[in-house]
């Protein structure tokens, strides 16, 4: 049986490659690709394109990963940039917002990670906190020099009403954290299924029970137990490929 194909949104960034210079790339971290391949899926990249083409491009795939990246432009959710939203890219936002909308319309299995979860919320009418107020829960390491990334770690609680996430992680787990923005007003088509101790939204699913979506604020591609999410996505994508839809069932961890 052929492997399911997982499409990835990309991250536009500049990379310095000595001694040749600096290049503008649209890419994803190798961890994302490795995680999908380890679970038996194939990966393709969908670079930022005309938003009108998002639905057609998504038909190339059986599943979608909306990856992490820079801040979403507040204009996408009807707000002014208060100076805390950094390195925004409205063109990238427009394509990824269209991808998220197309994914919901097609009910294709979707894993939305960090920025990707925020994109889903905005695409469906939600808003974001442009900067999380300081609390006792660390959402990024204020001194990332040693690790190279502003990674923090904290506990989250998972609702027993979750159809999907609770079946993978139970009622609580520890996650990594590399973000300074979060969901504010949650779109009515979504349901919050995980929170940090300070209330920050850490996980979402579709509220209608039809779209196989898991959105997480953390980075499973960088965590040891992240394989569960990628395994879920590949399995759901295979079901979507062979049956045209996915039955949402959660299983005990």
């Amino acid at each position: 049986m052929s492997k399911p194909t997982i499409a990835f949104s990309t991250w536009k960034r500049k990379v310095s490659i000595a001694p040749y210079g600096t290049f503008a790339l649209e890419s994803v971290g190798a961890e994302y690709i490795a995680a999908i391949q380890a679970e038996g899926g194939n990966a393709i990249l969908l670079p930022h394109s005309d938003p009108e083409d998002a639905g057609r491009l998504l038909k190339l795939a059986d599943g979608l990963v909306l990856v992490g990246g820079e801040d979403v432009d507040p204009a996408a959710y009807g707000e002014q940039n208060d100076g805390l939203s950094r390195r925004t890219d409205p063109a990238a936002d427009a394509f990824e917002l269209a991808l998220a909308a197309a994914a919901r319309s097609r009910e294709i299995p979707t894993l939305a990670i960090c920025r990707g979860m925020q994109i889903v919320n905005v695409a469906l009418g939600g808003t974001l906190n442009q900067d999380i107020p300081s609390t006792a829960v660390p959402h990024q390491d204020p001194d990332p020099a040693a690790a190279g990334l502003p990674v923090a770690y904290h506990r989250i609680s998972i609702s027993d009403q979750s159809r999907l996430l609770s079946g993978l992680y139970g009622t609580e787990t520890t996650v990594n954290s590399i973000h300074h923005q979060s969901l504010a007003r949650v779109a009515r088509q979504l349901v919050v299924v995980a929170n940090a101790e300070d209330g920050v939204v850490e996980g979402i699913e579709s509220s209608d029970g039809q779209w196989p979506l898991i959105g997480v604020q953390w980075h499973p591609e960088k965590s040891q137990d992240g394989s569960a999410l990628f395994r879920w996505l590949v399995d759901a994508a295979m079901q979507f490929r062979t049956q045209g839809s996915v039955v949402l069932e959660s299983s005990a961890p």
Side-chain angles (χ1 to χ4, degrees), residues 161-224:
Q161 300 302 307
S162 163
R163 293 184 178 91
L164 299 170
L165 197 60
S166 62
L168 302 177
Y169 292 103
T171 59
E172 63 177 29
T173 190
T174 297
V175 299
N176 59 31
S177 190
I178 319 172
H179 67 105
H180 78 103
Q181 299 193 325
S182 64
L183 272 59
R185 186 182 73 245
V186 177
R188 62 180 179 80
Q189 299 96 329
L190 303 172
V191 59
V192 175
V193 296
N195 296 88
E197 291 179 355
D198 58 2
V200 166
V201 176
E202 294 284 340
I204 58 171
E205 295 174 9
S206 172
S207 60
D208 64 10
Q210 301 300 312
W211 180 22
L213 161 76
I214 298 179
V216 296
Q217 191 57 70
W218 69 93
H219 282 265
E221 80 282 4
K222 298 182 182 297
S223 65
Q224 292 183 341

